[in-house]
Amino acid sequence: MKSKLSMTSFRGKLIAASIVCILIPTLVTLVVYNYLTRDAVKDQAVSNAQQTLQLVDGHVTNTLKHMLYLMNYFQVEQSGIGQTFKQFISGDWGTANPAYEEYKARADIMTKIESVTAAGEPSYLTILLSNGTYFMNYRKDDDFDPVLLITKPWITKVQGFQGLDSYWVGVTPTEFRRDKATSPYQLTAVRQLDSRSRTGVIVVTIMERQIGNYFREVSAVQGQEVMLLDGNDQIISHADINQIGTSFPYLKQLNKQEDNIVQIDGKNYLISKRVLAVNGWKLVSLIPYSTAVSKINSIFENVFTFQLISFILFFILLMVAIRAFTKPLLKLDKVATSVQKGELHLRSSIRGQDEIGRLGKSFDQMLDRISDMIIEVTRTQARKRKAELDMLQAQINPHFLFNVLNSIRMKVLGKGDRESAEMIASLSKLLRMTIQDQGNIPLHDEVDTVIDYMKLMNMRQKDKVDLEIDIDNDVFLEQVPRFFLQPIIENALIHGLNQQAGTIQLNAHAEADHIRICIRDSGQGMDQATLERLRSKLAMHTDEMLLAEPEKKKGFSSIGLQNVNERMRMTFGDAFLMQVDSEIGAGTAVTLIIPKQMQEQEEVHEDV
């Protein structure tokens, strides 16, 4: 399956091209659609955030206005209370019983404080006069000592304020004991009771949780983060109390951009702000950009899922169609590959009226013609080889026989010893081997022929050549063609030793599934160029040998190594190997690798 769908196959290329032609327009459409709708969704998200801030603004403003109302109540709405505060400072009550008047005035002020703070947002109200006298709506021992307000650094800042100007302290750690556990921070506003006489100050404090809890509700419902900042961009109130008191520098970044997007901790957020009219504090809304565009992302995912399902269905249909259209081509390719490996009997059997059908028919007809031509060429070559081998097998040099017989004659005439009789016996054996019918013989018969041949050659020439034989016992019965060792020995005598004294070694050993025969002489050897030419001739195919011009040599050397190589290859096929090694002055070695035949014959007999 992998090979059929690889990019190098026709089917793979066709499928890839179809997929690309469909995917590219689809992806471009999805990207453009997502890009165009994303801005619209972002603008809508910003608009929704502004609307949410407007609602939050109403709640926060009401809370802060209630703090202003408490301060206004004792500074403006209650006429005559300012005179009472001055009497507390001076101690002049204008009666004979000042203690009673002071008690009565204090009770009246505390009643007003309790009544005005009972309604609206929970708050802590403290009136601190310049002489240290104070009034509050909480218990001193359990909650907070109002005298400590004198030590606060912001007390001095409010002294320069006029009329209804208030100083918004911002967020500070909660100092009221009963609220510390539920609200770690508090918000405080302070104003002078009378900026001209500096009678004292009125301080109103609320818990940060009164705003922070509302922010948490908005975050849970709207999915956006809301916070309250002071004029220095410090966080005054936040749904996460850990953020309170930290700086929020991203408003400056927002002022430099126009797309309402800021990056915080590597993530993009849509940011909106709204300035409170009460005191200039700022409400800021943060929405994760991914959340803002979640709807369009959901639509995009649905569209993408639909496109993906459509593509899968199309891909399945495409695979079925392409498989049907290209199946004949794959079959034709498979047949062509098998034919390339030598299986010429296969045919594609592809027929049809289209181009593929005509191609299959032409391919089968071509294979038919090739098979007929191969049969004809094989028959012709077989006839040529048989005729040539018959001719080579019958070639026995008359000049060689004449010389041998002449040598015997001279020996007989000169002496009447047993050496002449042995020479005649060896010649008889040699002649008998040459005139016998063709066929394979045991290796020991071929070795006997070589021994007889060496006896004759040693009697013929002046210098004697020693033949050393080392043959394993288990290879003597191996079947080999006749006269395949004698031409190699003759080459060693005539060309290697140059008919001089020396040694020829004949070794035969059995290995795994073949026999290794080595004929080595101690002659003059060959240079590298001559050795390469000889190896090239041995590597030639039969057809090349037939076309090559035959070399003319004398004696048995006319049969030569090429003839032996060709005969052995015809007998044993590619399993036979001949290797020639030689060096100048170091002699020549001819190695023959012959597959075992005796074992095969035994297996055949066992099967029979």
Side-chain angles (χ1 to χ4, degrees):
M1 186 65 180
K2 182 185 290 185
S3 62
K4 292 180 180 179
L5 295 180
S6 63
M7 292 305 298
T8 58
S9 66
F10 175 77
R11 177 180 289 180
K13 292 178 180 178
L14 185 59
I15 293 176
S18 302
I19 292 175
V20 170
C21 292
I22 293 175
L23 277 183
I24 291 180
T26 302
L27 292 177
V28 170
T29 302
L30 290 176
V31 171
V32 172
Y33 171 81
N34 188 52
Y35 176 79
L36 295 178
T37 56
R38 194 177 295 271
D39 288 341
V41 172
K42 183 194 73 174
D43 294 339
Q44 183 62 41
V46 172
S47 176
N48 294 339
Q50 289 290 349
Q51 294 177 4
T52 302
L53 285 183
Q54 186 175 358
L55 295 176
V56 175
D57 185 355
H59 176 80
V60 175
T61 299
N62 288 336
T63 301
L64 299 181
K65 282 185 176 181
H66 179 69
M67 297 174 67
L68 293 177
Y69 166 75
L70 295 178
M71 292 186 291
N72 292 338
Y73 181 85
F74 291 96
Q75 185 182 14
V76 178
E77 296 184 10
Q78 293 296 319
S79 59
I81 197 170
Q83 184 63 32
T84 303
F85 289 148
K86 291 179 181 180
Q87 289 177 338
F88 271 101
I89 295 173
S90 63
D92 183 11
W93 294 96
T95 62
N97 192 1
Y100 173 77
E101 292 297 330
E102 179 180 356
Y103 170 78
K104 182 179 178 182
R106 178 178 292 276
D108 181 58
I109 293 174
M110 292 301 298
T111 301
K112 292 179 179 180
I113 291 177
E114 292 294 336
S115 64
V116 76
T117 58
E121 295 287 342
S123 58
Y124 294 93
L125 188 146
T126 305
I127 299 176
L128 180 62
L129 302 181
S130 58
N131 65 344
T133 304
Y134 54 83
F135 307 92
M136 70 283 190
N137 64 338
Y138 52 88
R139 293 180 300 178
K140 173 182 177 181
D141 296 336
D142 296 337
D143 296 324
F144 176 70
D145 187 356
V147 178
L148 296 178
L149 294 176
I150 301 175
T151 63
K152 302 300 179 181
W154 38 264
I155 286 292
T156 58
K157 294 182 180 181
V158 78
Q159 293 177 359
F161 283 32
Q162 301 293 327
L164 299 179
D165 292 339
S166 302
Y167 178 76
W168 296 89
V169 178
V171 65
T172 57
T174 299
E175 296 180 333
F176 294 91
R177 187 181 308 165
R178 64 180 177 182
D179 288 311
K180 283 184 178 181
T182 58
S183 179
Y185 298 97
Q186 63 185 26
L187 299 178
T188 301
V190 59
R191 180 188 296 177
Q192 291 195 65
L193 287 173
D194 188 347
S195 59
R196 290 174 296 178
S197 61
R198 297 183 179 181
T199 306
V201 294
I202 180 171
V203 180
V204 179
T205 300
I206 64 172
M207 294 298 104
E208 182 275 334
R209 72 168 181 272
Q210 296 174 226
I211 299 177
N213 288 340
Y214 184 70
F215 288 171
R216 293 183 188 92
E217 294 177 3
V218 172
S219 177
V221 175
Q222 302 294 334
Q224 63 188 80
E225 181 180 355
V226 182
M227 65 190 75
L228 181 62
L229 307 181
D230 62 11
N232 298 322
D233 292 342
Q234 297 291 323
I235 298 178
I236 299 175
S237 181
H238 196 283
D240 182 6
I241 60 175
N242 295 321
Q243 300 291 333
I244 297 175
T246 61
S247 177
F248 188 80
Y250 303 103
L251 285 181
K252 297 179 181 178
Q253 181 180 348
L254 177 64
N255 295 332
K256 299 178 182 179
Q257 301 177 356
E258 298 180 357
D259 55 358
N260 294 89
I261 297 178
V262 295
Q263 192 174 59
I264 303 175
D265 297 333
K267 296 183 179 180
N268 291 329
Y269 289 85
L270 282 176
I271 185 171
S272 301
K273 73 174 182 178
R274 185 180 181 89
V275 179
L276 298 180
V278 175
N279 54 6
W281 287 354
K282 289 163 283 189
L283 283 173
V284 176
S285 169
L286 284 179
I287 304 176
Y289 188 73
S290 58
T291 303
V293 297
S294 60
K295 292 183 179 180
I296 186 61
N297 286 339
S298 177
I299 296 174
F300 180 83
E301 290 174 359
N302 293 334
V303 173
F304 180 81
T305 302
F306 175 78
Q307 292 283 359
L308 181 61
I309 296 174
S310 301
F311 174 78
I312 293 175
L313 294 176
F314 167 80
F315 182 78
I316 295 175
L317 294 176
L318 179 65
M319 287 288 293
V320 173
I322 291 180
R323 182 180 179 86
F325 295 153
T326 60
K327 186 176 181 180
L329 285 177
L330 295 179
K331 182 178 180 181
L332 187 62
D333 177 72
K334 184 177 180 180
V335 173
T337 303
S338 300
V339 170
Q340 185 181 7
K341 295 179 180 178
E343 300 179 10
L344 299 179
H345 63 282
L346 296 178
R347 297 296 182 270
S348 67
S349 301
I350 298 175
R351 298 295 183 268
Q353 300 301 321
D354 56 2
E355 294 82 357
I356 298 178
R358 293 194 293 269
L359 178 61
K361 182 178 180 181
S362 300
F363 183 79
D364 291 346
Q365 292 175 350
M366 179 186 67
L367 290 179
D368 293 336
R369 289 194 295 269
I370 291 176
S371 298
D372 295 339
M373 293 175 63
I374 289 176
I375 293 174
E376 183 62 28
V377 170
T378 302
R379 291 175 180 173
T380 302
Q381 292 297 329
R383 289 193 295 269
K384 287 183 180 180
R385 292 176 185 174
K386 185 175 184 303
E388 182 183 23
L389 291 175
D390 290 342
M391 179 184 66
L392 294 175
Q393 186 70 32
Q395 285 181 349
I396 301 177
N397 197 316
H399 181 67
F400 164 72
L401 294 177
F402 176 80
N403 290 338
V404 173
L405 291 174
N406 188 54
S407 298
I408 296 174
R409 184 178 63 82
M410 295 298 295
K411 292 285 183 179
V412 171
L413 290 177
K415 302 177 182 179
D417 55 4
R418 294 178 60 184
E419 185 178 3
S420 298
E422 291 178 1
M423 187 173 183
I424 293 172
S426 297
L427 179 60
S428 298
K429 292 180 182 180
L430 189 60
L431 291 175
R432 185 169 58 252
M433 291 293 293
T434 59
I435 64 177
Q436 286 180 349
D437 293 338
Q438 298 180 8
N440 293 342
I441 61 174
L443 179 60
H444 67 82
D445 289 343
E446 181 67 12
V447 174
D448 291 340
T449 301
V450 171
I451 294 174
D452 291 332
Y453 172 74
M454 286 300 301
K455 289 180 180 179
L456 291 174
M457 296 304 294
N458 282 331
M459 293 178 183
R460 174 184 174 186
Q461 61 187 23
K462 180 180 178 179
D463 298 322
K464 184 178 180 181
V465 176
D466 294 330
L467 177 63
E468 298 179 357
I469 299 176
D470 180 16
I471 299 178
D472 291 346
N473 293 332
D474 54 352
V475 300
F476 269 114
L477 296 180
E478 287 292 332
Q479 296 292 315
V480 295
R482 62 182 74 243
F483 278 103
F484 81 96
L485 289 178
Q486 184 273 333
I488 303 175
I489 299 294
E490 182 180 10
N491 265 358
L493 284 171
I494 298 175
H495 301 288
L497 297 173
N498 199 16
Q499 297 183 344
Q500 302 294 324
T503 302
I504 298 177
Q505 296 177 346
L506 173 59
N507 301 324
H509 303 285
E511 297 183 358
D513 57 352
H514 61 270
I515 303 171
R516 181 181 294 273
I517 301 176
C518 182
I519 300 96
R520 183 183 299 274
D521 64 67
S522 60
Q524 60 187 357
M526 292 179 283
D527 56 26
Q528 190 65 26
T530 304
L531 179 62
E532 291 300 328
R533 286 197 299 271
L534 178 58
R535 288 175 175 173
S536 299
K537 292 179 181 179
L538 295 178
M540 293 173 61
H541 294 290
T542 304
D543 296 341
E544 296 174 342
M545 294 176 60
L546 292 174
L547 297 175
E549 184 178 356
E551 298 182 2
K552 296 181 179 180
K553 295 182 181 287
K554 298 181 180 180
F556 276 97
S557 62
S558 62
I559 298 177
L561 294 180
Q562 283 183 270
N563 176 260
V564 174
N565 183 52
E566 176 63 15
R567 290 173 58 204
M568 300 298 282
R569 287 170 61 182
M570 290 182 60
T571 302
F572 300 107
D574 294 336
F576 170 76
L577 178 64
M578 175 182 284
Q579 182 177 351
V580 182
D581 299 292
S582 181
E583 292 184 12
I584 294 294
T588 301
V590 179
T591 303
L592 308 176
I593 305 297
I594 301 175
K596 290 184 178 180
Q597 300 294 310
M598 185 176 63
Q599 182 178 359
E600 295 180 0
Q601 292 179 2
E602 292 176 355
E603 292 176 355
V604 171
H605 291 311
E606 291 176 359
D607 294 339
V608 174

